[in-house]
């Protein structure tokens, strides 16, 4: 699979150990961490220790620690809220452990996303759905559908800006409905055209 | 050589009060290597060329491509006939240029190096070699249409059907695509409003209100079409 | 089109394009309205619209695809978030809710059938897009963040006015789309529209072909 699509995601190129470890190993590590979180959460200092390990992970991967905080920034107020609520309902130890564990898991998952090319993750998905073959799931089709979805993001974004420009040119309104209806109708027509192209190019073969 | 038989073909969309007859009583026997299709918007020419590739099955009559009935052997017909659409953006399936060109060969049984070699050859031919790993949506309009054509040619079809492939392009790119079309060794059926593209064509069909109203050399057919415009 | 694949190519195109729609809605900057203490983001319109326009199976599938693309690392959630991490955060329940909500709204909308009714649509969208979404979202918060129901509600209540507004907008937009692009919703009252629900669902993208032709 080509490297091209990886430039669309959050992946950051590098040559560290974490970049070289297989996608499977990293994902299994994440699952193990998630499973262990129930046990880890009962000791607040253990949570902080694991969080420290994740910080080390970012440094090993060659990322600044700021990149880790960037993963957590969108949920920072929710984390503060959770800390206060857990402290208030239980004790201060849980006020640290519960939001700390969430931050650890999110930061660790972010590390996997940042160090694993998207094509490697798609390969994992395609292989992982292999056993579902007997239920009528075609793994190759799953992979192609993912690629098609990724491909549609810039198409629809381009469509949205065209519709927006037309709306400003014609009516100068900011009505969401006057934007969304033409966008969706054009998207439906584009989907028809894409469907035609898929059929013409043998997608169903 | 490709032989297309169109026998009393008609098509109707919808039911009841909303029904529209978009094609009616069209018959033709096509063996030429360059066939043009012209007509106003809504004349039925787009419907007609879609039927040649089994994208649309006629509700009346029969179409056969090299003896294959489009209604019952659609997949075989599509393997024989590639299709180039108006909007290159909607026919690019894969995220990168090379992946998109390779798409048609994914079930061909060819090895990865063999596929890569054929992809490289086509990209070279259309001057896209430098864009191999680029996201397909970042190409220019003309380059996207070249990419779409490369993606069609990769499966070596004998017939290429085109539905207004130059309509969305600027003049320079339209001329460039026209030149590329002229150089193709395959049989071409081209629906277009750019009449000058048809100068060297063997035969041109004119559609009006769902009917085939003229069928002849480019000069005759275009003259007929111009008369239609004056009415 | 008689192939046995569960989702034919034309349906896959609709699914992929609507995954793109939900992504595009995430790009719209949040707006601030006096009725809502929290900024209103457009993205949660995605599942409501995907369901109301594509139906349950395709609408749900388009949100599954969207979530898969987010998990793969595309920064498509509003605010540019993406990656596996978002599925471990306290708001994971809402992400699951996106999928369930698209499916539920779509299933009910196609069950009611054409013509699209604003009032029925509003009931469906409020039940599917609000009640169901909050059940999943709040459950997720309670599990991941160890909050009680009232605490989770407290964290969420400021989004309620915005979510109500969005349900109304989604219904009005869906009405507009079904009017401008007829042929998607199945007619249940009509005698001619024979066949099972899945039959009419599969036919719809083909029936809609002439609409695309008229514009050319």
């Amino acid at each position: 699979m080509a490297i091209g699509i990886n430039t669309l995601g959050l992946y950051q190129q590098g040559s560290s150990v974490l970049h070289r470890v297989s996608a499977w190993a990293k994902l299994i590590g994440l699952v193990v961490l998630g499973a262990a979180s129930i046990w880890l959460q009962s000791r607040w200092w253990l949570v902080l220790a694991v969080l420290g390990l994740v910080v080390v992970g970012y440094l090993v991967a060659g990322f600044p620690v700021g990149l880790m905080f960037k993963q957590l920034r969108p949920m920072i107020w929710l984390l503060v809220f959770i800390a206060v609520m857990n402290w208030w309902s239980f004790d201060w130890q849980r006020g640290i452990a519960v939001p700390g564990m969430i931050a650890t898991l999110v930061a660790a998952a972010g590390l996997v996303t940042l160090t694993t090319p998207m094509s490697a993750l798609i390969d994992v998905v395609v292989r992982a759905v292999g056993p579902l073959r007997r239920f009528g799931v075609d793994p190759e089709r799953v992979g192609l559908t993912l690629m098609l979805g990724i491909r549609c993001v810039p198409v629809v974004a381009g469509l949205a800006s065209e519709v927006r420009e037309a709306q400003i040119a014609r009516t100068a309104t900011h009505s969401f409905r006057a934007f969304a209806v033409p966008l969706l109708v054009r998207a439906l027509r584009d989907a028809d055209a894409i469907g035609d192209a898929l059929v013409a190019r043998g997608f169903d073969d | 050589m490709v032989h297309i038989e169109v026998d009393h073909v008609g098509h109707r969309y919808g039911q009841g009060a909303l029904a529209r007859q978009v094609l009616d009583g069209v018959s033709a026997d096509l063996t030429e290597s360059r066939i043009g299709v012209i007509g106003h918007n809504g004349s039925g020419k787009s419907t007609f060329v879609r039927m040649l590739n089994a994208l649309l099955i006629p509700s009346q009559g029969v179409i056969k491509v090299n003896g294959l009935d489009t209604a019952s052997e659609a997949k075989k017909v599509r393997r024989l006939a590639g299709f180039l659409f108006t909007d290159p953006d909607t026919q690019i399936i894969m995220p990168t240029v090379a992946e998109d060109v390779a798409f048609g060969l994914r079930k061909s049984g060819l090895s990865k190096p063999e596929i890569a070699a054929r992809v490289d050859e086509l990209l070279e031919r259309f001057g896209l070699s430098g864009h191999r790993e680029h996201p397909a949506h970042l190409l220019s309009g003309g380059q996207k249409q070249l990419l779409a054509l490369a993606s069609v040619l990769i499966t070596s079809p004998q017939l290429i059907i085109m539905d207004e492939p130059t309509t969305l392009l600027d003049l320079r790119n339209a001329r460039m695509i026209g030149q590329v079309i002229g150089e193709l060794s395959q049989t071409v059926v081209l629906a277009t409003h750019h009449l000058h593209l048809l100068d060297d064509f063997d035969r041109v069909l004119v559609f009006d209100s769902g009917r085939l109203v003229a069928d002849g050399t480019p000069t005759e057919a275009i003259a007929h079409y111009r008369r239609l415009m004056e009415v | 089109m008689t192939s046995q694949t569960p989702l034919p190519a034309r349906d896959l195109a609709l699914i992929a394009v609507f995954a793109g729609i939900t992504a595009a809605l995430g790009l719209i900057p949040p707006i601030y309205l006096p009725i809502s203490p929290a900024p209103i983001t457009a993205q949660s319109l995605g599942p409501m619209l995907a369901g109301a326009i594509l139906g349950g199976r395709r609408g749900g599938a388009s949100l599954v695809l969207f979530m898969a693309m987010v998990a793969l690392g595309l920064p498509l959630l509003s605010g540019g978030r993406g990656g596996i991490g978002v599925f471990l955060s306290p708001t994971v329940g809402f992400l699951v809710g996106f999928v369930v909500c698209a499916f539920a709204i779509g299933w009910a909308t196609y069950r009611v059938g054409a013509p699209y009714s604003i009032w029925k649509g509003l009931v469906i969208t409020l039940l599917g897009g609000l009640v169901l979404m909050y059940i999943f979202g709040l459950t997720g918060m309670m599990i991941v963040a160890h909050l009680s129901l009232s605490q989770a509600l407290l964290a969420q209540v400021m989004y309620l006015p915005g979510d109500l507004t969005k349900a109304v907008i989604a219904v009005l937009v869906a009405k507009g789309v079904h009017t401008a692009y007829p042929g998607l919703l199945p007619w249940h009252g009509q005698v001619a529209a024979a066949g099972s629900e899945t039959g009419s669902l599969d036919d719809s993208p083909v029936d809609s072909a002439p609409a695309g032709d008229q514009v050319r």
Side-chain angles (χ1 to χ4, degrees):
Chain A
M1 216 167 273
I3 11 161
I5 63 160
N6 299 319
T7 55
L8 298 168
L10 298 165
Y11 169 67
Q12 307 239 330
Q13 260 177 334
S15 55
S16 75
V17 185
L18 281 165
H19 283 88
R20 279 176 281 141
V21 168
S22 85
W24 282 99
K26 280 182 273 192
L27 288 169
I28 289 170
L30 200 57
V31 170
V32 170
L33 184 62
S37 67
I38 299 161
W39 174 75
L40 290 170
Q41 240 163 20
S42 56
R43 293 161 189 79
W44 65 272
W45 47 272
L46 254 180
V47 171
L48 291 185
V50 178
L51 186 58
L53 277 178
V54 176
V55 174
V56 172
Y58 274 80
L59 295 174
V60 168
F63 300 141
V65 182
L67 196 57
M68 183 178 117
F69 289 111
K70 214 179 145 198
Q71 314 288 313
L72 301 174
R73 198 186 301 143
M75 48 189 284
I76 195 77
W77 291 113
L78 194 53
L79 286 178
V80 171
F81 178 81
I82 291 164
V84 172
M85 284 301 157
N86 272 282
W87 185 5
W88 183 57
S89 322
F90 303 97
D91 46 41
W92 65 267
Q93 285 92 337
R94 276 190 78 158
I96 293 173
V98 172
M101 198 63 232
I102 293 170
T104 305
L105 283 170
V106 171
L111 192 54
V112 174
T113 304
L114 289 164
T115 58
T116 315
M118 205 187 303
S119 52
L121 289 172
I122 293 180
D123 282 346
V124 169
V125 173
V126 171
R127 291 242 208 104
V129 298
L132 297 177
R133 207 185 278 274
R134 77 187 89 163
F135 301 111
V137 175
D138 177 356
E140 199 235 354
R141 231 174 142 78
V142 171
L144 287 176
T145 306
L146 278 170
M147 297 289 239
L148 187 63
I150 293 167
R151 159 84 193 106
C152 280
V153 171
V155 171
V156 178
L159 205 58
S161 67
E162 270 176 46
V163 170
R164 186 88 189 93
E165 280 163 20
Q167 186 195 7
I168 292 170
R170 278 178 45 195
T171 57
T173 59
H174 293 281
S175 150
F176 180 78
R177 190 167 180 257
F179 162 75
V181 174
L183 171 65
L184 287 164
V185 171
R186 285 195 54 185
L188 284 166
R189 292 200 207 295
D190 268 13
D192 279 342
I194 293 170
D196 268 353
L198 287 173
V199 173
R201 292 183 62 185
F203 195 89
D204 276 339
D205 285 7
Chain B
M1 221 204 50
V2 178
H3 184 195
I4 305 170
E5 298 159 84
V6 183
D7 189 13
H8 293 92
V9 162
H11 196 68
R12 176 187 280 274
Y13 282 122
Q15 287 169 332
L18 289 168
R20 281 190 312 136
Q21 186 84 26
V22 288
L23 217 55
D24 195 12
V26 176
S27 292
D29 197 65
L30 309 169
T31 51
E32 293 78 3
S33 75
R34 288 289 182 273
I35 299 153
V37 179
I38 55 179
H40 302 306
N41 291 335
S43 61
K45 65 177 191 309
S46 188
T47 304
F48 177 70
V49 293
R50 260 155 224 271
M51 286 178 170
L52 303 182
N53 193 37
L55 276 175
L56 207 61
I57 309 300
S59 50
Q60 297 127 29
V62 179
I63 295 183
K64 285 183 180 170
V65 181
N66 278 2
L68 299 167
D69 188 331
T70 58
S72 54
E73 307 198 77
K75 281 184 185 173
K76 281 186 190 161
V77 171
R78 286 191 208 116
R79 231 161 277 158
L80 201 95
F83 202 107
L84 194 62
F85 295 86
T86 312
D87 185 355
D89 252 322
T90 55
Q91 60 189 314
I92 296 168
I93 299 173
M94 303 298 268
T96 67
V97 171
E99 284 171 319
D100 192 66
V101 177
F103 178 81
L105 290 182
R106 71 195 195 286
K107 287 193 175 160
S108 61
L110 292 174
S111 70
K112 274 191 175 177
E114 281 171 307
I115 292 178
R118 292 183 65 171
V119 170
D120 285 342
E121 190 191 314
L122 275 164
L123 291 180
E124 182 79 32
R125 178 169 156 197
F126 291 135
L128 294 169
S129 297
H131 301 285
R132 214 176 175 287
E133 305 298 339
H134 288 181
H137 68 272
L138 293 183
L139 297 180
S140 73
Q143 287 174 325
K144 279 183 198 168
Q145 201 57 292
L146 284 175
L147 165 62
L149 187 56
S151 304
V152 168
L153 290 175
I154 192 97
T155 56
S156 321
Q158 297 175 46
L159 162 68
I160 300 172
I161 302 153
M162 308 182 180
D163 185 14
E164 301 189 30
T166 54
T167 301
L168 295 179
L169 303 179
D170 61 36
L171 284 175
R172 194 170 53 93
N173 278 315
R175 186 171 305 159
M176 183 265 296
I177 292 287
Q179 208 163 8
V180 170
I181 293 170
E183 288 161 5
L184 292 174
S185 58
Q186 286 85 351
T187 294
V188 171
V189 175
L190 170 66
T192 188
H193 291 296
H194 288 162
L195 302 179
H196 62 271
L197 292 176
L198 305 175
D199 286 347
D200 308 325
F201 271 47
D202 304 313
R203 183 171 174 183
V204 174
L205 313 178
V206 185
F207 282 82
D208 186 41
S209 311
R211 290 179 177 275
L212 179 58
V213 293
D215 176 355
T217 65
T219 325
E220 294 163 5
I222 290 171
H224 189 102
Y225 181 49
R226 290 199 195 284
R227 280 199 297 280
L228 281 180
M229 283 195 278
E230 282 155 19
V231 176
Chain C
M1 237 120 301
T2 47
S3 65
Q4 288 186 325
T5 47
L7 288 164
R10 289 170 205 268
D11 281 348
L12 281 183
L14 284 168
I15 289 163
V17 166
F18 270 71
I21 290 281
T22 304
L25 290 169
L27 296 175
I28 297 175
I31 53 163
Y32 297 85
L33 286 185
I35 53 159
S36 169
I40 303 178
T41 56
Q43 192 153 49
S44 51
L45 284 166
M48 299 181 193
L49 290 170
I53 292 164
L54 297 185
R57 210 158 63 119
R58 292 180 301 197
S62 85
L63 265 295
V64 170
L65 175 58
F66 173 79
M67 290 303 163
M69 297 194 306
V70 169
L72 288 174
L74 288 174
L76 302 179
L77 285 177
S78 51
R81 289 170 302 143
I84 315 154
V86 297
F87 294 95
L88 301 171
S89 85
T91 45
V92 58
F94 288 97
L95 302 183
V96 178
F98 267 36
V99 176
V100 180
C101 153
F103 178 81
I105 291 179
W107 177 80
T109 306
Y110 272 52
R111 200 146 176 126
V112 171
Y116 188 81
S117 139
I118 286 190
W119 292 112
K120 286 177 192 164
L122 196 59
V123 172
I124 290 168
T125 311
L126 286 175
L127 283 176
L130 225 73
V131 178
L132 206 54
M133 182 77 105
Y134 274 55
I135 290 174
F136 277 90
L138 296 177
T139 308
M141 279 217 218
M142 288 160 67
I143 294 172
V144 178
H146 297 251
L147 299 177
S148 68
L149 178 60
S150 51
Q151 288 169 340
L153 261 175
L154 183 62
Q156 205 49 41
V157 73
M158 60 176 181
Y159 293 99
L160 193 59
D163 288 337
L164 278 168
T165 316
K166 274 183 272 187
V168 176
I169 292 174
V171 171
L172 293 176
V173 170
K175 176 72 185 167
V177 172
H178 283 303
T179 311
Y181 196 92
L184 283 170
L185 281 178
W187 287 86
H188 294 308
Q190 227 177 36
V191 192
S196 63
E197 217 176 309
T198 46
S200 51
L201 203 148
D202 281 340
D203 286 343
S204 46
V206 185
D207 281 345
S208 56
D213 238 14
Q214 278 170 332
V215 201
R216 298 249 154 87

